[in-house]
C-alpha cells in the first residue's frame, strides 16, 4: 500500500509542475519571433498579403484573407499552419532563414494559452557598485571638424579633449548614464549626444560646442527620442538634418533649425546599428541586423533600394568622400563595397576582413584608405581601391567599442570597454596619448613668496597644490587664468592632523573679492577672462609648519547652495541648485513625508556626483517665496513706512524663502499681527547651509523699529584682535573682571549670554551656543 501511494505521488508531481509553468510571453518571446522571421515582408509599409505583424493589434486584425489567429486554438490558427508549412504561402519562404522547432512550439503554446498580450515589465535594477574603482566603457568618440577637439562618452558625461595633446578641456555633464553615440555638425558649432537610462529614456540632446551648454529653452533640450537604445547619429553635410537610429528598428530625421521631427524611416525589420549621409547630403545609408544595407532619399524619406549581400547582422556603413562607393561590415566578418548612385548599387568588392565582427568603418578624407575596427580587437587600414591590407595595428588588450579618424587622417581614436581612450598615429600605429581614464596630475608644491594676490604662485588649471600655513598670519595665494564664464571649483583638505580652520577667498584682477568660503569648498563662475587669485588662510590667523593642506582647483562639481532651504512636511517642492560644473539640470523635486520631523534634513539628489552634500530642512508652516530684495538704504526704507511696496507678504504662521542679492541689499517681509499678539520671528540661514550672516529688525507700519528689550549697561569692554561672524562661539575681549557667567552682553546689535569666561588673556570668552553656533537673545 505504501508503494502504491508513493507511485501515485511521483506521477502526479511532474504534472502539477508542468501546469504551473507560465505561458510564453508575447513581449519577450513571440514579438521577437515575428521580428526575426516575418517583419521583413509583413510590416506596416509593405504588408505582404495585407498582414502586418509589427504590433499585437495588427496581428489580431489579420490580412487580406482574414484573421490568422484564433486564441486558444493553435491548430485552428492559420499563422501556425503557415509557419509549419502546412498551408501556402509558406512563411517564412523556404529560401529564408527558418525558425527552430522549439521556437514554433513557443508560438503554439502562446496561442493555446489564449494569445494574451503582456505589458512591458518595469524592473528596478539595484545600484551595485564594485569594491574597487572601475572606469566606465568608452562607447562613443567623435572628432570636431577642425581636428583640434575630440569628444568621448563616459558614464553620464562627455569629455572634450585637445586632440593634439590629449589634455582635458572641459566636460558636459547631466546626461543619462549610458552614452551611446556622438556626432559633430559639419560647421563644428553643435554636438549631438545620445544617452540612455536602461529601461527608461533614450534621447538625443544638442549642445553648443563653444560653451557646452544646451541651446535654447528647457523644452528644446531633448531633440529626439527612441523607444530603445540609440546606436548611431549623423549630421547632414549642411548641418540642417540630424539622423538617429536604434534598437527599435527606426531611423528618425530631425530638422535642427525648425526643431521638429521631419520623418521616421521604418523599413528595417530589426535593429538599425549604423547610418551615414552621402557627401552631397541627398542620400542616407543604413545598416541593420536584418542583414541589409538600405539607401534612402533624404528629401522624401523613400527607400530607394536594398543591398542584401550580407549573410548576418550589419553594424557599420561608410561613404567614400566622392560619394561613389559605399562600404559596410558586420557579424559575417566581411567588408563589402558597392558602387552606388541614386538608382542602384552594384557590389565591386567583398573581402573576409577580420577574425570577428566588423564594428566600425571610416574613410580617409582623400578616399584612398578605409579603416576598420573589429571585435577581434584589431584595427586595419585598407587600400580603398584594391581592398588589400595596408597596415594592421597592434591588437588592443581589451575589447574596443568605437573608432574615429581625425579629419586630417593623421590620428585614430579608440574607445575601449575597460574605460581607456587611446590616440594612435594613423601612419605608424604608435600611441600618442591616453586621455582616459583621467590620471590625476602630481601635486605642485607651494613656494614662497605668495603672500598677496599680486605675488601669488602661478598655477595652470586643473591643479593640485600641497602647501602649509607655516606661521601665524600667513596667507597663501595662487594665481590662475580663466576664461569668461568658466566655472571653477575649489576643494581644500587639511593633511594629517593639521588643525587648520580654513578660509578660502577668490579675488579678481581688480582686487575685488568675488566669493569666500569657510567649509573647504568654493565655487565661482568667472565673470570675465583674466587672472584670478585664490587665497588660503586659517580663520584665526594661526600658523605652524604642521598646518598642511592639499588644494585642488579645476572643474570640480560643487553645490554651493540650494533654494529654497526647506520644504513643508507633507508637500513637494522644486529645489534649485547653485554651484559649478553641475551640468544642465539645475533643479530637482523633493517631497517631505507628512510624518517627517520638523527641523530634520532631507538630502537633495543630484544628477552628477558633486561635493557639497546639499540638504533642505523640513518646515512646519506653509512657505512663501519673495519676489526680490530691496537695495534701498535701511534709513530710507524706514522713512517710507506704509508707503513702501510689499515685496513679500508672509502668513502667520508661515515660512518665508528669500535671498539677499546684490551685495548690500536687504529684504523686507510684511506680516499682519494683532495688538498684544506674541510672535516668534527667526532667520534660519547659516544653520541651513547659507553663507548669509543675518540680522533681523522689526518695523511698524510707519517704518519705525520696535523695541524688543530694554537694556541697562553695568559694564563696558572691547572686542579685540578681529571681527566675528555668527558662526563663532567665542570672542577675545579686553577685560572681564566685571563680568560673570550667564551675564548678558550686547555686542553690536546682538544680545549674547556668557557661557564661560576666558582662562587667560589669550583665551576667548565663550557664549551660549546651539548646534555649534553662537546663540542670540
Amino acid at each position: 500500500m505504501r508503494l502504491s501511494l508513493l507511485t501515485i505521488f511521483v506521477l502526479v508531481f511532474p504534472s502539477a509542475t508542468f501546469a504551473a509553468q507560465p505561458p510564453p510571453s508575447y513581449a519577450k518571446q513571440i514579438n521577437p519571433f515575428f521580428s526575426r522571421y516575418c517583419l521583413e515582408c509583413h510590416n506596416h509599409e509593405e504588408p505582404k498579403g495585407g498582414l502586418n505583424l509589427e504590433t499585437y493589434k495588427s496581428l489580431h486584425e489579420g490580412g487580406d484573407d482574414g484573421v490568422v489567429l484564433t486564441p486558444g486554438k493553435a491548430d485552428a490558427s492559420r499563422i501556425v499552419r503557415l509557419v509549419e508549412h502546412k498551408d501556402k504561402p509558406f512563411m517564412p519562404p523556404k529560401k529564408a532563414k527558418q525558425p527552430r522547432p522549439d521556437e514554433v512550439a513557443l508560438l503554439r503554446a502562446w496561442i493555446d494559452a489564449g494569445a494574451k498580450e503582456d505589458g512591458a515589465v518595469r524592473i528596478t535594477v539595484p545600484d551595485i557598485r564594485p569594491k574597487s574603482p572601475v572606469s566606465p566603457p568608452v562607447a562613443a568618440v567623435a572628432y570636431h571638424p577642425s581636428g583640434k577637439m575630440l569628444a568621448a562618452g563616459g558614464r553620464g558625461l562627455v569629455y572634450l579633449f585637445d586632440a593634439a595633446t590629449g589634455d582635458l578641456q572641459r566636460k558636459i555633464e547631466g546626461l543619462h548614464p549610458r552614452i551611446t553615440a556622438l556626432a559633430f555638425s559639419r560647421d563644428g558649432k553643435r554636438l549631438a549626444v545620445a544617452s540612455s537610462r536602461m529601461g527608461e529614456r533614450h534621447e538625443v540632446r544638442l549642445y553648443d560646442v563653444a560653451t557646452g551648454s544646451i541651446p535654447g529653452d528647457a523644452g528644446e533640450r531633448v531633440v529626439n527620442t527612441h523607444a530603445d537604445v540609440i546606436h548611431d547619429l549623423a549630421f547632414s553635410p549642411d548641418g540642417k538634418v540630424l539622423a538617429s537610429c536604434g534598437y527599435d528598428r527606426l531611423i528618425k530625421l530631425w530638422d535642427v533649425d525648425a526643431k521638429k521631427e521631419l520623418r521616421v524611416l521604418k523599413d528595417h525589420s530589426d535593429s538599425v546599428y549604423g547610418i551615414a549621409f552621402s557627401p552631397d547630403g541627398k542620400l542616407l545609408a543604413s545598416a541593420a541586423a536584418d542583414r541589409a544595407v538600405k539607401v534612402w532619399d533624404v528629401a522624401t524619406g523613400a527607400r530607394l533600394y536594398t543591398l542584401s549581400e550580407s549573410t548576418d547582422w550589419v553594424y557599420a556603413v561608410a561613404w567614400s568622400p566622392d560619394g561613389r562607393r559605399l562600404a559596410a561590415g558586420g557579424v559575417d566578418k566581411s567588408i563589402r563595397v558597392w558602387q552606388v548612385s541614386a538608382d542602384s548599387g552594384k557590389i565591386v568588392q567583398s573581402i573576409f576582413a577580420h577574425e570577428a565582427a566588423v564594428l566600425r568603418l571610416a574613410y580617409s578624407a582623400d578616399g584612398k584608405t578605409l579603416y576598420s575596427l573589429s571585435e577581434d580587437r584589431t584595427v586595419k587600414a585598407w587600400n580603398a581601391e584594391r581592398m588589400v591590407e595596408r597596415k594592421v595595428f597592434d591588437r588592443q588588450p581589451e575589447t574596443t567599442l568605437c573608432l574615429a579618424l581625425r579629419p586630417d587622417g593623421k590620428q585614430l581614436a579608440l574607445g575601449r570597454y575597460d574605460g581607456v581612450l587611446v590616440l594612435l598615429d594613423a601612419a605608424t600605429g604608435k600611441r600618442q596619448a591616453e586621455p582616459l581614464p583621467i590620471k590625476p596630475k602630481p601635486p605642485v608644491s607651494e613656494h614662497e613668496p605668495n603672500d598677496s594676490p599680486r605675488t601669488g604662485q602661478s598655477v595652470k588649471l586643473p591643479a593640485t597644490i600641497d602647501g602649509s600655513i607655516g606661521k601665524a598670519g600667513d596667507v597663501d595665494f595662487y594665481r590662475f587664468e580663466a576664461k569668461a564664464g568658466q566655472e571653477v571649483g575649489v576643494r581644500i583638505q587639511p593633511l594629517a592632523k593639521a588643525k587648520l580652520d580654513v578660509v578660502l577667498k577668490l579675488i579678481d584682477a581688480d582686487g575685488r573679492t568675488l566669493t569666500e568660503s569657510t567649509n573647504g569648498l568654493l565655487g565661482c563662475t568667472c565673470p570675465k577672462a583674466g587672472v584670478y587669485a585664490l587665497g588660503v588662510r586659517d580663520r584665526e590667523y594661526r600658523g605652524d609648519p604642521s598646518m598642511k593642506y592639499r588644494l585642488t582647483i579645476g572643474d570640480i562639481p560643487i553645490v554651493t547652495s540650494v533654494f529654497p532651504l526647506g520644504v513643508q512636511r507633507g508637500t513637494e517642492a522644486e529645489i534649485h541648485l547653485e554651484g559649478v560644473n553641475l551640468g544642465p539640470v539645475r533643479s530637482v523635486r523633493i517631497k517631505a513625508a507628512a510624518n517627517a520631523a520638523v527641523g530634520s534634513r532631507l538630502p537633495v539628489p543630484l544628477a552628477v556626483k558633486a561635493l557639497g552634500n546639499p540638504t533642505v530642512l523640513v518646515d512646519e508652516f506653509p512657505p512663501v517665496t519673495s519676489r526680490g530684495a530691496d537695495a534701498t538704504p535701511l534709513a530710507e526704507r524706514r522713512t517710507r513706512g506704509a508707503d513702501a511696496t510689499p515685496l513679500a507678504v508672509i502668513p502667520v504662521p508661515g515660512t518665508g524663502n528669500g535671498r539677499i542679492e546684490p551685495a548690500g541689499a536687504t529684504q523686507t517681509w510684511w506680516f499682519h499681527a494683532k495688538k498684544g499678539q506674541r510672535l516668534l520671528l527667526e532667520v534660519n540661514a547659516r544653520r541651513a547651509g547659507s553663507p548669509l550672516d543675518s540680522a533681523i529688525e522689526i518695523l511698524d507700519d510707519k517704518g519705525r523699529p520696535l523695541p524688543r528689550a530694554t537694556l541697562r549697561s553695568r559694564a563696558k569692554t572691547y572686542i579685540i584682535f578681529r571681527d566675528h561672524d555668527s558662526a563663532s562661539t567665542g570672542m577675545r575681549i579686553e577685560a572681564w573682571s566685571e563680568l560673570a557667567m550667564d551675564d548678558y552682553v550686547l555686542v553690536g546689535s546682538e544680545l549674547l549670554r556668557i557661557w564661560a569666561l576666558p582662562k587667560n588673556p589669550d583665551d576667548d570668552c565663550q557664549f551660549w551656543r546651539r548646534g555649534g553656533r553662537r546663540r542670540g537673545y
Side-chain angles (χ1 to χ4, degrees):
M1 189 60 179
R2 288 179 183 174
L3 180 59
S4 297
L5 287 173
L6 180 61
T7 303
I8 293 172
F9 176 76
V10 172
L11 290 174
V12 170
F13 183 77
S15 176
T17 304
F18 179 77
Q21 291 180 345
S25 163
Y26 172 79
K28 296 179 180 179
Q29 294 163 301
I30 305 306
N31 194 38
F33 174 90
F34 292 144
S35 297
R36 193 174 299 117
Y37 300 109
C38 309
L39 289 190
E40 187 168 357
C41 298
H42 299 283
N43 55 70
H44 77 286
E45 286 196 348
E46 296 181 4
K48 189 173 182 179
L51 179 61
N52 176 14
L53 298 180
E54 285 185 337
T55 67
Y56 180 81
K57 181 181 178 181
S58 62
L59 167 64
H60 274 268
E61 291 173 351
D64 295 340
D65 296 328
V67 296
V68 295
L69 183 69
T70 305
K73 299 179 181 180
D75 287 329
S77 298
R78 187 163 180 263
I79 194 167
V80 174
R81 298 197 304 272
L82 294 173
V83 170
E84 293 179 343
H85 291 188
K86 296 177 180 178
D87 201 348
K88 291 184 179 181
F90 296 154
M91 197 176 83
K94 288 187 175 181
K95 293 183 179 180
K97 186 176 181 181
Q98 300 298 311
R100 302 187 307 271
D102 60 313
E103 293 176 307
V104 177
L106 284 174
L107 177 63
R108 273 186 158 275
W110 176 69
I111 295 174
D112 281 335
K116 296 180 180 179
E117 181 184 24
D118 50 351
V121 179
R122 188 178 182 87
I123 300 175
T124 302
V125 181
D127 186 14
I128 304 174
R129 299 187 178 275
K131 293 182 179 180
S132 57
V134 176
S135 299
V138 180
V141 288
Y143 278 99
H144 188 270
S146 68
K148 296 180 180 179
M149 180 189 295
L150 174 67
R155 181 174 175 81
L157 54 83
V158 174
Y159 298 94
L160 299 176
F161 295 101
D162 183 312
T165 64
D167 292 339
L168 179 64
Q169 294 178 328
R170 63 181 183 274
K171 293 184 286 188
I172 298 175
E173 302 183 87
L175 294 150
H176 292 308
R178 188 179 176 191
I179 308 297
T180 56
L182 300 170
F184 282 102
S185 60
R186 185 73 61 89
D187 61 8
K189 294 181 179 180
R190 287 171 169 153
L191 172 65
V193 181
S195 66
S196 63
R197 183 182 296 277
M198 196 59 64
E200 293 186 15
R201 287 187 63 84
H202 312 275
E203 63 187 31
V204 181
R205 295 187 176 199
L206 278 183
Y207 290 88
D208 180 270
V209 173
T211 63
S213 63
I214 298 175
D217 300 327
E220 299 171 11
R221 291 179 177 179
V222 178
V223 300
N224 217 336
T225 60
H226 281 255
D228 216 314
V229 177
I230 300 166
H231 289 308
D232 202 7
L233 296 171
F235 276 100
S236 62
D238 61 7
K240 294 182 178 180
V241 178
L242 174 65
S244 62
C245 66
Y247 193 79
D248 57 5
R249 313 191 309 272
L250 302 179
I251 301 168
K252 295 189 176 185
L253 302 183
W254 176 268
D255 188 316
V256 176
D257 295 327
K259 303 176 181 63
K260 66 178 183 180
E261 188 175 273
L262 290 173
R263 55 190 59 90
V264 179
L265 314 182
K266 302 180 179 180
D267 197 49
H268 280 290
S269 61
D270 212 332
S271 306
V272 186
Y273 286 102
I275 47 177
F277 281 96
S278 62
D280 61 7
K282 296 180 179 180
L283 306 178
L284 178 75
S286 58
D290 58 8
R291 309 182 302 279
V293 173
K294 296 181 185 288
V295 178
W296 311 78
D297 183 283
V298 174
T300 65
R303 176 178 57 83
L304 300 177
Y305 52 87
T306 299
L307 305 172
S308 55
E309 286 82 359
S310 301
T311 60
D312 215 323
W313 294 6
V314 188
Y315 283 148
V317 65
W319 292 87
S320 63
D322 61 9
R324 296 178 180 178
R325 294 197 172 192
L326 183 64
V331 177
D332 63 6
K333 310 172 188 176
S334 300
I335 298 176
R336 293 175 176 83
V337 181
W338 292 269
Q339 184 175 320
V340 291
S341 66
D343 301 318
S344 63
K346 180 180 69 174
I347 193 162
V348 293
Q349 297 281 358
S350 180
I351 61 165
F352 183 79
H354 287 271
E355 297 175 3
V358 178
L359 298 176
R360 297 287 186 273
L361 295 171
Y363 273 101
S364 61
D366 59 10
K368 295 180 180 180
T369 305
L370 176 66
Y371 293 89
S372 62
L373 168 68
S374 169
E375 282 183 353
D376 63 12
R377 304 181 185 179
T378 64
V379 175
K380 292 184 179 182
W382 302 85
N383 181 307
E385 180 65 29
R386 299 166 49 213
M387 286 306 295
V388 295
E389 291 178 359
R390 181 169 282 168
K391 180 174 179 58
V392 179
F393 293 78
D394 291 341
R395 188 183 298 268
Q396 293 294 312
E398 180 56 272
T399 300
T400 307
L401 303 175
C402 53
L403 170 145
L405 176 66
R406 200 166 70 184
D408 63 6
K410 295 182 178 180
Q411 187 183 75
L412 288 169
L414 304 179
R416 299 201 318 233
Y417 186 79
D418 57 1
V420 173
L421 171 64
V422 60
L423 307 183
L424 303 178
D425 184 290
T428 65
K430 182 179 179 181
R431 189 179 70 176
Q432 295 177 330
E434 194 174 289
L436 289 176
I438 294 177
K439 303 169 185 64
K441 295 182 178 180
V444 177
S445 297
E446 175 212 357
H447 61 257
E448 299 282 355
N450 64 343
D451 299 329
S452 73
R454 297 194 177 278
T455 63
Q457 180 177 341
S458 294
V459 295
K460 183 180 179 181
L461 300 188
T464 301
I465 306 115
D466 284 346
S468 67
I469 303 299
K471 57 184 179 181
D474 188 16
V475 181
D476 294 340
F477 282 93
Y478 300 95
R479 293 165 59 85
F480 59 88
E481 289 189 8
K483 299 177 182 178
Q486 182 174 346
E487 296 182 345
V488 177
V490 180
R491 181 187 186 186
I492 188 168
Q493 298 168 287
L495 297 180
K497 297 181 180 180
K499 297 180 179 180
L500 178 62
D501 193 1
V502 70
V503 175
L504 297 171
K505 180 186 289 188
L506 187 64
I507 299 173
D508 66 11
D510 298 324
R512 293 173 298 191
T513 298
L514 298 179
T515 184
E516 194 170 357
S517 171
T518 58
N519 65 357
L521 301 172
L522 181 146
C524 182
T525 301
C526 299
K528 58 183 180 180
V531 177
Y532 294 81
L534 179 71
V536 180
R537 67 171 175 86
D538 179 73
R539 183 198 294 267
E540 308 294 334
Y541 286 93
R542 298 170 300 167
D544 185 272
S546 66
M547 297 176 70
K548 298 179 180 180
Y549 60 82
R550 173 161 289 175
L551 178 69
T552 304
I553 315 172
D555 56 353
I556 307 170
I558 293 176
V559 178
T560 55
S561 64
V562 298
F563 184 80
L565 298 175
V567 55
Q568 184 186 12
R569 62 178 175 180
T571 66
E572 186 177 275
E574 185 170 15
I575 306 298
H576 298 275
L577 305 171
E578 297 179 0
V580 294
N581 305 304
L582 300 178
V585 180
R586 294 298 182 107
S587 65
V588 295
R589 297 198 66 83
I590 294 181
K591 185 174 183 179
N595 60 352
V598 175
S600 61
R601 291 184 176 271
L602 298 176
V604 178
L606 302 175
V608 298
K609 187 177 181 181
L611 303 176
N613 190 28
T615 60
V616 293
L617 291 171
V618 176
D619 295 328
E620 181 178 7
F621 303 123
V624 175
T625 300
S626 170
R627 298 196 302 272
D630 193 344
T632 308
L634 182 60
E636 182 179 336
R637 287 191 299 106
R638 285 176 176 169
T639 62
R640 289 185 301 177
D643 296 330
T645 301
L647 289 174
V649 179
I650 187 171
V652 179
T655 299
N657 295 309
R659 62 175 77 214
I660 304 297
E661 58 180 354
T666 58
Q667 193 153 53
T668 303
W669 289 91
W670 296 68
F671 63 93
H672 297 280
K674 298 178 181 179
K675 182 179 179 180
Q677 186 175 1
R678 297 173 63 87
L679 296 176
L680 172 66
L681 296 96
E682 181 181 28
V683 179
N684 198 337
R686 289 221 167 172
R687 282 170 288 161
S690 168
L692 176 66
D693 191 7
S694 60
I696 187 171
E697 184 180 48
I698 312 300
L699 310 176
D700 64 14
D701 60 351
K702 304 297 183 184
R704 297 170 300 199
L706 294 182
R708 283 178 283 163
T710 301
L711 307 179
R712 181 168 62 88
S713 176
R714 299 178 57 189
K716 186 176 183 179
T717 186
Y718 296 92
I719 299 292
I720 61 173
F721 190 55
R722 67 190 181 280
D723 292 330
H724 294 78
D725 61 19
S726 63
S728 307
T729 59
M731 297 183 188
R732 194 75 52 88
I733 60 177
E734 185 180 57
W736 60 90
S737 58
E738 298 182 72
L739 303 177
M741 292 175 60
D742 288 332
D743 277 355
Y744 289 93
V745 181
L746 184 67
V747 182
S749 60
E750 278 190 89
L751 186 63
L752 309 175
R753 194 176 185 183
I754 296 176
W755 180 66
L757 291 168
K759 300 180 182 64
N760 54 64
D762 294 325
D763 193 20
D764 287 348
C765 179
Q766 298 294 326
F767 298 94
W768 281 86
R769 70 201 75 180
R770 184 174 67 178
R773 296 182 182 272
R774 193 168 70 245
R775 182 175 182 181
Y777 293 83

